[in-house]
Amino acid sequence: MLSLRVPRLAITSAATVLAVTLGAGALTVPAAVAAPGPVTAAAGAEAEQGVARMPVNHAIEAGGGAGFFSTYLGDPAKVTWTSYKDGTTSSFGGDLMVAGGDLYVDHQYKTVVDMATGARYRLPEHDAQAVGIAGPYVFTTLTLDTTDGTGSGPFLSAHTSQGTRRITGLPAGAEDFKVRPGTDEHGVVTFTGADGARYHGLVDLEAGKVTETYRTPGTGAFAVSDTRVAWVENDAAGTAQAVVVTRGTTDRRTVALGPAKSQPVIGLVGDWLLDGVVPRLAKEATPYPGLRARSLTAATAAPVKLLDRFEELVPDTSGGMLAGGGRLGTGDGAYRVTAGADGKPVATFVAASGSPTETAEMKPARVPAGTVNLDDASTVSFDWYLNNWDTKVTVQLRHVRTGRTYDWVMDGYDEAGGWDSYYGEGFPFGPAWSGTLGNANRFGEPNTRMAYNGAYTWEMTAEPWTGVGPALKRSGSFTVTRSAKPHDFDDDGAPDLLARDASGVLWSDTGFRNSRYSNEVDVPKTRIGGGWQIYDRIEATGDLAGSAHADIVARDKAGVLWLYQGNGLGGFAGRVQVGGGWQTYDKLTGGSDFTGDGRPDLLAADKTGVLWLYKATGSTTKPFETRKRIGSGWGVYNQITAPGNIAGAGAGDLLARDKDGVLWMYLGKGDGTFTKRSLIGGGFGRYGELVGSGDYDGDGRNDLLAYESATKRTYYFSGTGGRDVPFRLARVSTTLYASGSHDLFG
């Protein structure tokens, strides 16, 4: 059975107590009152095992001779009755109810229903509160002023269809009652005494009197049999122990159960103590005991393992206990625990939930297959629908070429805040992968980076906290792809910024802000190689040569332009000469598609102020067509930058900074020309280099990087996608080249 919470020995809890009415005299059902019927009725039988079929993800609330009640974990107000006789289930929704044995109290109709016989009767019409059921009696409590000298209560009363009786024997000042089944002759009443302490008492059902009381630590585990009572408390060392008292004697002993945090649940069957730990607390109990029985008469007798996986334990009116849980090879569901022929407790499978006890998938997983385009999907879902929420799931994605991994761990479904929700087809475990590598549980540490394009494998391992059954393992593969980015030299989708140090070594530094976590990730910079001091200009151009990887061009001091084709690994192939005469240009920029053909182009402004377009060809040997004159007057600017499409018009746009530090925008028309300029803002003269980085912060819009020479800090301006205000003018500091001296950013 799938369960998500601490089991309750009490048949009803504070959450399921409801108001019913109380009155004197015989209790009968008026003919005009319609008795409640089941909302649904579905026949079910476990043909292979000959047991009833209970709903999945239900917790057992009360065990009767004819069947049992269970509550739906996603909504405790939804109660189901499962019949042993024919395996049918009847569901009651919309009203809280008190249940015990085969009886329940319906709040809406103020009616008691016997599911074993179909008999029903109505409670009296007075303000009262149903606090539990034991044997054939419904117990209510009432506080009122009286004139017969009996005081103002609160009073505890028991009801059957034949009438009402006041329960006697409670200490003066007792209040806050809860009642549940105990044995055939006794119910268990829990109450707060006049001293503020919590007590358990035994109610003689025939006499209507509390005959025994025991001061206990609280409202936790308490068990009763014909000869003993037992409860759980912690000793001075913090060990949980069962206190076992032989009724009617001074015999009192303790049985160590384990760490206090494990909150063990107990029961009594004959001369045996039952104890178990629910899976939610299994980390505190090692090894996990499941449900076991220990002899109270033979100290050396070995414990008897009853269930491998344990959920809840409630009294059963058939003379034993009803347990929720499972056994390997049998499955999860309801088990009746009774004394066997030799006196040892045995667990009989009486209702199956349809879930195996070992970790298993309840329906096919949702995982990526084939090719995943991370340009189209901000996250990629991995979901394995597992039967047990108390499971540690580890997922690793591995990039085949580099061996870098993405590691994700979820230690129980409650970490996601959703363990109390119902999933009839399994609890979904798995990451919503946002396209990064590193440790998902420590996002932002140095090994975090954007995920590379290419082939990936994945492995999933699901291990139960309890250690019951083997780990579940699954594996598969998929491929990541993205469109080429102008500043992505290592094929991971994140912009890389080039810089040269004083010794002529070229470096690439990657940083990005993940939109899911809203924080920057600092990736260590990468050394590309030395000898780059021979160039006076290096410019990132995007994929000029048709390799699908970002390229660069570099101009030497003689005016010769060279093409370095990107290899997709963060480096470049050997240089290819483009041509000479490029010393005539004092401004270069590339990486945007100005002509609408899907290839990035290059713009160059000469020293006379004329702007020229070099349209890309896709060829390594001849990367540009013959230059085309765009216009004159560009001498007023000291830098031009191609940021891609920043204003939503669809074509590559152009930024230009004048000598006063004012930045202007030219919207691309898609034919190599531009609209009239529009003002972005002033104050940009402090920056030695402006770089159209692409999408730096992961919000789907292109941004602008700016390197401040005086402070040697790099900032970014977040793109808005709007024409009037294309960038947020509040700059944000980055970690790009945060240390050292560099120049010539591309």
Side-chain angles (χ1 to χ4, degrees):
M1 184 183 69
L2 308 183
S3 185
L4 304 178
R5 56 173 188 164
V6 177
R8 292 173 290 180
L9 278 176
I11 296 305
T12 182
S13 67
T16 57
V17 173
L18 64 156
V20 296
T21 55
L22 173 73
L27 309 181
T28 59
V29 181
V33 176
V39 176
T40 62
E46 199 75 0
E48 294 183 2
Q49 301 176 20
V51 297
R53 181 65 178 267
M54 65 179 292
V56 67
N57 242 353
H58 272 228
I60 298 172
E61 290 290 318
F68 63 91
F69 292 96
S70 61
T71 55
Y72 172 33
L73 289 167
D75 182 358
K78 296 180 180 179
V79 180
T80 295
W81 164 263
T82 300
S83 170
Y84 295 138
K85 180 179 179 181
D86 55 15
T88 59
T89 59
S90 301
S91 298
F92 307 88
D95 291 283
L96 298 177
M97 59 178 64
V98 174
D102 296 319
L103 303 180
Y104 78 88
V105 179
D106 185 272
H107 171 56
Q108 181 178 359
Y109 295 95
K110 302 179 178 65
T111 303
V112 180
V113 179
D114 187 334
M115 294 301 294
T117 65
R120 59 199 70 202
Y121 64 91
R122 188 160 184 181
L123 292 169
E125 294 290 341
H126 287 287
D127 292 336
Q129 188 178 54
V131 294
I133 295 172
Y137 300 97
V138 175
F139 288 80
T140 62
T141 186
L142 175 66
T143 301
L144 73 164
D145 293 323
T146 64
T147 58
D148 59 3
T150 58
S152 60
F155 304 113
L156 183 65
S157 299
H159 307 270
T160 69
S161 61
Q162 304 304 309
T164 299
R165 71 189 332 177
R166 180 76 52 81
I167 300 301
T168 62
L170 285 163
E175 60 182 1
D176 190 18
F177 303 113
K178 301 292 184 293
V179 179
R180 65 166 178 81
T183 67
D184 290 343
E185 293 79 22
H186 290 84
V188 176
V189 57
T190 307
F191 61 91
T192 301
D195 59 356
R198 201 66 176 162
Y199 292 84
H200 282 84
L202 302 186
V203 183
D204 186 319
L205 297 177
E206 182 177 355
K209 182 179 181 179
V210 176
T211 57
E212 303 172 41
T213 58
Y214 302 88
R215 180 170 175 169
T216 56
T219 58
F222 184 89
V224 59
S225 70
D226 291 335
T227 57
R228 296 179 178 85
V229 295
W231 62 86
V232 176
E233 61 183 38
N234 299 327
D235 64 13
T239 300
Q241 59 184 9
V243 177
V244 183
V245 177
T246 302
R247 293 169 57 184
T249 74
T250 59
D251 178 55
R252 174 188 172 109
R253 74 186 77 176
T254 59
V255 179
L257 300 178
K261 292 182 180 180
S262 63
Q263 300 178 25
V265 177
I266 62 171
L268 289 167
V269 171
D271 293 325
W272 293 74
L273 174 72
L274 311 184
D275 72 283
V277 176
V278 297
R280 186 177 70 86
L281 302 168
K283 294 178 183 178
E284 306 296 338
T286 304
Y288 175 70
L291 179 65
R292 62 191 171 187
R294 294 194 255 192
S295 175
L296 296 172
T297 58
T300 60
V304 176
K305 188 69 168 287
L306 298 174
L307 296 180
D308 295 310
R309 190 174 188 276
F310 168 69
E311 291 288 356
E312 57 264 332
L313 188 66
V314 301
D316 184 272
T317 58
S318 62
M321 306 290 291
L322 194 63
R327 284 194 299 235
L328 293 173
T330 302
D332 276 8
Y335 289 78
R336 182 184 289 119
V337 182
T338 57
D342 58 358
K344 292 182 180 180
V346 294
T348 304
F349 198 30
V350 294
S353 70
S355 169
T357 299
E358 59 271 21
T359 304
E361 294 183 85
M362 298 297 283
K363 70 175 184 178
R366 180 177 62 166
V367 294
T371 299
V372 174
N373 188 331
L374 289 183
D375 286 334
D376 297 336
S378 58
T379 59
V380 180
S381 294
F382 291 78
D383 284 313
W384 290 270
Y385 300 92
L386 305 181
N387 56 338
N388 296 326
W389 71 276
D390 44 289
T391 304
K392 178 181 178 180
V393 176
T394 302
V395 178
Q396 184 178 83
L397 314 183
R398 181 179 296 275
H399 184 239
V400 173
R401 175 174 60 82
T402 65
R404 289 183 176 267
T405 64
Y406 169 84
D407 299 284
W408 178 92
V409 177
M410 186 172 178
D411 202 358
Y413 196 66
D414 57 338
E415 285 193 352
W419 67 265
D420 56 349
S421 299
Y422 170 66
Y423 294 95
E425 295 181 300
F427 297 93
F429 284 84
W433 186 49
S434 57
T436 62
L437 297 174
N439 190 325
N441 300 84
R442 295 194 298 272
F443 182 84
E445 63 181 13
N447 67 337
T448 302
R449 62 176 307 122
M450 292 294 284
Y452 300 105
N453 292 331
Y456 283 79
T457 61
W458 58 259
E459 293 182 353
M460 185 279 292
T461 302
E463 303 171 277
W465 291 353
T466 58
V468 176
L472 177 70
K473 296 181 180 291
R474 297 288 185 266
S475 62
S477 62
F478 63 99
T479 300
V480 166
T481 185
R482 303 180 185 87
S483 60
K485 306 294 191 301
H487 281 268
D488 179 16
F489 303 112
D490 55 6
D491 205 29
D492 66 354
D496 306 310
L497 196 58
L498 298 178
R500 183 182 60 196
D501 65 22
S503 65
V505 175
L506 189 66
W507 297 86
S508 174
D509 200 4
T510 298
F512 63 94
R513 287 183 176 265
N514 186 282
S515 59
R516 182 179 180 190
Y517 296 93
S518 299
N519 66 316
E520 186 183 27
V521 176
D522 180 19
V523 180
K525 62 183 181 180
T526 302
R527 185 182 191 274
I528 294 176
W532 292 80
Q533 67 271 17
I534 65 174
Y535 300 113
D536 63 8
R537 184 68 193 176
I538 301 172
E539 184 69 29
T541 61
D543 177 23
L544 290 175
S547 67
H549 304 302
D551 307 324
I552 61 174
V553 292
R555 184 183 62 189
D556 64 26
K557 295 174 183 179
V560 177
L561 191 70
W562 301 87
L563 169 67
Y564 285 85
Q565 190 172 1
N567 60 15
L569 304 176
F572 303 95
R575 68 180 188 175
V576 175
Q577 182 174 326
V578 176
W582 287 77
Q583 69 272 19
T584 187
Y585 302 116
D586 60 359
K587 294 178 283 292
L588 294 174
T589 189
S592 292
D593 177 15
F594 299 114
T595 59
D597 61 357
R599 288 190 292 268
D601 306 307
L602 187 69
L603 289 176
D606 65 27
K607 295 175 182 178
T608 67
V610 176
L611 184 67
W612 301 88
L613 168 69
Y614 285 85
K615 184 178 179 181
T617 64
S619 168
T620 305
T621 56
K622 186 182 178 182
F624 302 111
E625 293 182 2
T626 302
R627 69 179 187 173
K628 177 181 177 182
R629 189 177 190 274
I630 300 298
S632 60
W634 290 80
V636 299
Y637 301 115
N638 58 21
Q639 186 172 157
I640 57 176
T641 301
N645 175 18
I646 59 174
D653 304 319
L654 185 63
L655 301 177
R657 183 185 63 191
D658 65 26
K659 297 174 183 178
D660 294 324
V662 177
L663 191 64
W664 303 85
M665 177 177 69
Y666 289 85
L667 290 177
K669 296 181 180 180
D671 59 359
T673 64
F674 303 94
T675 63
K676 293 181 179 180
R677 70 179 188 175
S678 59
L679 175 67
I680 291 180
F684 283 85
R686 73 180 74 176
Y687 302 113
E689 194 74 32
L690 299 174
V691 179
S693 64
D695 183 13
Y696 184 81
D697 57 12
D699 65 357
R701 295 183 288 267
N702 287 332
D703 307 312
L704 180 67
L705 289 175
Y707 178 69
E708 190 172 43
S709 304
T711 61
K712 295 182 172 57
R713 299 288 300 180
T714 305
Y715 301 87
Y716 90 95
F717 294 87
S718 181
T720 67
R723 180 172 300 188
D724 296 332
V725 185
F727 299 106
R728 295 181 178 89
L729 295 182
R731 69 182 187 176
V732 180
S733 180
T734 76
T735 60
L736 294 168
Y737 297 105
S739 61
S741 178
H742 301 83
D743 63 3
L744 204 64
F745 286 74

